[in-house]
Short mmCIF file of all heavy atoms in Angstrom, two decimals:
data_model
loop_
_atom_site.label_atom_id
_atom_site.label_comp_id
_atom_site.label_asym_id
_atom_site.label_seq_id
_atom_site.Cartn_x
_atom_site.Cartn_y
_atom_site.Cartn_z
N LYS R 177 331.37 97.50 -62.51
CA LYS R 177 332.54 97.92 -61.67
C LYS R 177 333.70 98.44 -62.44
O LYS R 177 334.38 99.46 -62.12
CB LYS R 177 332.81 96.82 -60.75
CG LYS R 177 331.77 96.40 -59.77
CD LYS R 177 332.39 95.26 -58.81
CE LYS R 177 331.35 94.92 -57.80
NZ LYS R 177 331.85 93.78 -56.82
N ARG R 178 333.95 97.68 -63.57
CA ARG R 178 335.00 98.02 -64.49
C ARG R 178 334.85 99.54 -65.03
O ARG R 178 335.75 100.29 -65.00
CB ARG R 178 335.10 97.03 -65.67
CG ARG R 178 336.23 97.36 -66.58
CD ARG R 178 335.94 96.80 -67.96
NE ARG R 178 334.82 97.27 -68.59
CZ ARG R 178 334.16 96.94 -69.73
NH1 ARG R 178 334.74 95.85 -70.24
NH2 ARG R 178 333.16 97.62 -70.26
N ASN R 179 333.54 99.77 -65.52
CA ASN R 179 333.23 101.06 -66.07
C ASN R 179 333.40 102.14 -64.97
O ASN R 179 333.92 103.26 -65.30
CB ASN R 179 331.99 101.08 -66.60
CG ASN R 179 331.82 100.31 -67.88
OD1 ASN R 179 332.84 99.97 -68.53
ND2 ASN R 179 330.61 99.97 -68.32
N THR R 180 333.02 101.75 -63.76
CA THR R 180 333.19 102.75 -62.58
C THR R 180 334.69 102.99 -62.31
O THR R 180 335.03 104.15 -62.22
CB THR R 180 332.54 102.23 -61.41
OG1 THR R 180 331.09 101.99 -61.63
CG2 THR R 180 332.74 103.20 -60.22
N ALA R 181 335.44 101.98 -62.39
CA ALA R 181 336.87 102.16 -62.16
C ALA R 181 337.47 102.93 -63.37
O ALA R 181 338.34 103.72 -63.02
CB ALA R 181 337.45 100.70 -62.13
N ILE R 182 337.03 102.69 -64.54
CA ILE R 182 337.60 103.47 -65.60
C ILE R 182 337.15 105.00 -65.51
O ILE R 182 337.97 105.86 -65.73
CB ILE R 182 337.11 102.86 -66.97
CG1 ILE R 182 337.66 101.50 -67.23
CG2 ILE R 182 337.37 103.85 -68.21
CD1 ILE R 182 337.12 100.78 -68.47
N GLU R 183 335.92 105.13 -65.09
CA GLU R 183 335.53 106.65 -64.90
C GLU R 183 336.48 107.32 -63.83
O GLU R 183 336.86 108.41 -64.04
CB GLU R 183 334.17 106.64 -64.51
CG GLU R 183 333.15 106.28 -65.67
CD GLU R 183 331.67 106.27 -65.08
OE1 GLU R 183 331.48 106.58 -63.91
OE2 GLU R 183 330.89 105.99 -66.08
N GLN R 184 336.70 106.54 -62.69
CA GLN R 184 337.60 107.18 -61.71
C GLN R 184 339.00 107.39 -62.17
O GLN R 184 339.69 108.39 -61.82
CB GLN R 184 337.62 106.20 -60.50
CG GLN R 184 336.22 106.14 -59.79
CD GLN R 184 336.36 105.29 -58.46
OE1 GLN R 184 337.31 104.52 -58.30
NE2 GLN R 184 335.27 105.21 -57.75
N LEU R 185 339.53 106.40 -62.99
CA LEU R 185 340.76 106.70 -63.51
C LEU R 185 340.83 107.82 -64.50
O LEU R 185 341.84 108.54 -64.64
CB LEU R 185 341.38 105.28 -64.15
CG LEU R 185 341.63 104.13 -63.31
CD1 LEU R 185 341.77 102.84 -64.10
CD2 LEU R 185 342.87 104.51 -62.44
N SER R 186 339.85 108.03 -65.26
CA SER R 186 339.64 109.09 -66.24
C SER R 186 339.76 110.38 -65.44
O SER R 186 340.37 111.40 -65.90
CB SER R 186 338.41 108.98 -67.00
OG SER R 186 338.48 107.86 -67.90
N GLY R 187 339.00 110.45 -64.26
CA GLY R 187 339.13 111.60 -63.44
C GLY R 187 340.47 111.78 -62.97
O GLY R 187 340.99 113.08 -62.87
N LEU R 188 341.22 110.78 -62.66
CA LEU R 188 342.62 111.07 -62.26
C LEU R 188 343.50 111.49 -63.43
O LEU R 188 344.31 112.34 -63.13
CB LEU R 188 343.11 109.74 -61.64
CG LEU R 188 342.50 109.18 -60.38
CD1 LEU R 188 343.25 108.01 -59.93
CD2 LEU R 188 342.61 110.12 -59.26
N LEU R 189 343.25 110.97 -64.49
CA LEU R 189 344.03 111.31 -65.67
C LEU R 189 343.89 112.80 -66.03
O LEU R 189 344.79 113.48 -66.46
CB LEU R 189 343.63 110.47 -66.90
CG LEU R 189 344.67 110.58 -68.07
CD1 LEU R 189 346.04 110.18 -67.82
CD2 LEU R 189 344.05 109.77 -69.30
N ALA R 190 342.66 113.27 -65.76
CA ALA R 190 342.41 114.70 -66.07
C ALA R 190 343.27 115.62 -65.18
O ALA R 190 343.49 116.80 -65.51
CB ALA R 190 340.98 115.01 -65.82
N GLN R 191 343.71 115.05 -63.98
CA GLN R 191 344.57 115.92 -63.05
C GLN R 191 346.04 116.01 -63.65
O GLN R 191 346.69 116.71 -63.04
CB GLN R 191 344.40 115.37 -61.73
CG GLN R 191 343.00 115.39 -61.10
CD GLN R 191 342.93 114.69 -59.79
OE1 GLN R 191 343.95 114.78 -58.98
NE2 GLN R 191 341.80 114.13 -59.52
N THR R 192 346.34 115.06 -64.46
CA THR R 192 347.73 114.96 -64.92
C THR R 192 348.00 115.80 -66.03
O THR R 192 347.04 116.60 -66.43
CB THR R 192 348.15 113.56 -65.40
OG1 THR R 192 347.40 113.16 -66.65
CG2 THR R 192 347.73 112.51 -64.28
N ALA R 193 349.26 115.72 -66.61
CA ALA R 193 349.58 116.62 -67.70
C ALA R 193 349.40 115.99 -69.02
O ALA R 193 349.92 116.28 -70.06
CB ALA R 193 351.07 117.10 -67.57
N ALA R 194 348.62 114.89 -68.91
CA ALA R 194 348.39 114.09 -70.27
C ALA R 194 347.52 114.92 -71.22
O ALA R 194 346.66 115.76 -70.86
CB ALA R 194 347.48 112.87 -69.88
N PRO R 195 347.97 114.66 -72.59
CA PRO R 195 347.29 115.48 -73.52
C PRO R 195 345.74 115.10 -73.77
O PRO R 195 345.35 113.90 -73.32
CB PRO R 195 348.02 115.22 -74.80
CG PRO R 195 348.76 113.88 -74.50
CD PRO R 195 348.99 113.80 -73.16
N ASN R 196 344.94 115.84 -74.38
CA ASN R 196 343.54 115.53 -74.57
C ASN R 196 343.26 114.23 -75.33
O ASN R 196 342.34 113.48 -75.01
CB ASN R 196 342.83 116.64 -75.17
CG ASN R 196 342.69 117.88 -74.33
OD1 ASN R 196 342.82 117.79 -73.10
ND2 ASN R 196 342.63 119.10 -74.96
N SER R 197 344.18 114.08 -76.21
CA SER R 197 344.04 112.84 -77.12
C SER R 197 344.28 111.56 -76.25
O SER R 197 343.51 110.55 -76.41
CB SER R 197 345.11 112.75 -78.19
OG SER R 197 346.36 112.84 -77.67
N LEU R 198 345.18 111.49 -75.22
CA LEU R 198 345.41 110.44 -74.36
C LEU R 198 344.24 110.25 -73.48
O LEU R 198 343.69 109.14 -73.28
CB LEU R 198 346.64 110.48 -73.64
CG LEU R 198 346.97 109.30 -72.66
CD1 LEU R 198 347.13 108.05 -73.54
CD2 LEU R 198 348.35 109.68 -71.95
N MET R 199 343.71 111.36 -72.99
CA MET R 199 342.50 111.26 -72.08
C MET R 199 341.43 110.82 -72.80
O MET R 199 340.47 110.09 -72.21
CB MET R 199 342.29 112.74 -71.38
CG MET R 199 343.23 113.18 -70.42
SD MET R 199 342.84 114.68 -69.59
CE MET R 199 343.10 115.82 -70.83
N ALA R 200 341.20 110.98 -74.04
CA ALA R 200 340.21 110.43 -74.77
C ALA R 200 340.35 108.93 -75.17
O ALA R 200 339.42 108.22 -75.25
CB ALA R 200 339.95 111.25 -76.17
N ALA R 201 341.61 108.60 -75.41
CA ALA R 201 341.89 107.21 -75.99
C ALA R 201 341.87 106.24 -74.76
O ALA R 201 341.56 105.05 -74.95
CB ALA R 201 343.17 107.22 -76.75
N LEU R 202 342.41 106.64 -73.59
CA LEU R 202 342.73 105.67 -72.52
C LEU R 202 341.34 105.03 -72.08
O LEU R 202 341.37 103.65 -71.89
CB LEU R 202 343.27 106.32 -71.35
CG LEU R 202 343.78 105.44 -70.21
CD1 LEU R 202 344.65 104.29 -70.73
CD2 LEU R 202 344.31 106.12 -69.05
#
Side-chain angles (χ1 to χ4, degrees):
K177 293 182 179 181
R178 181 202 62 187
N179 289 346
T180 299
I182 291 173
E183 289 176 1
Q184 291 181 353
L185 290 170
S186 295
L188 293 182
L189 189 63
Q191 300 175 30
T192 69
N196 292 335
S197 57
L198 179 60
M199 286 189 286
L202 184 60

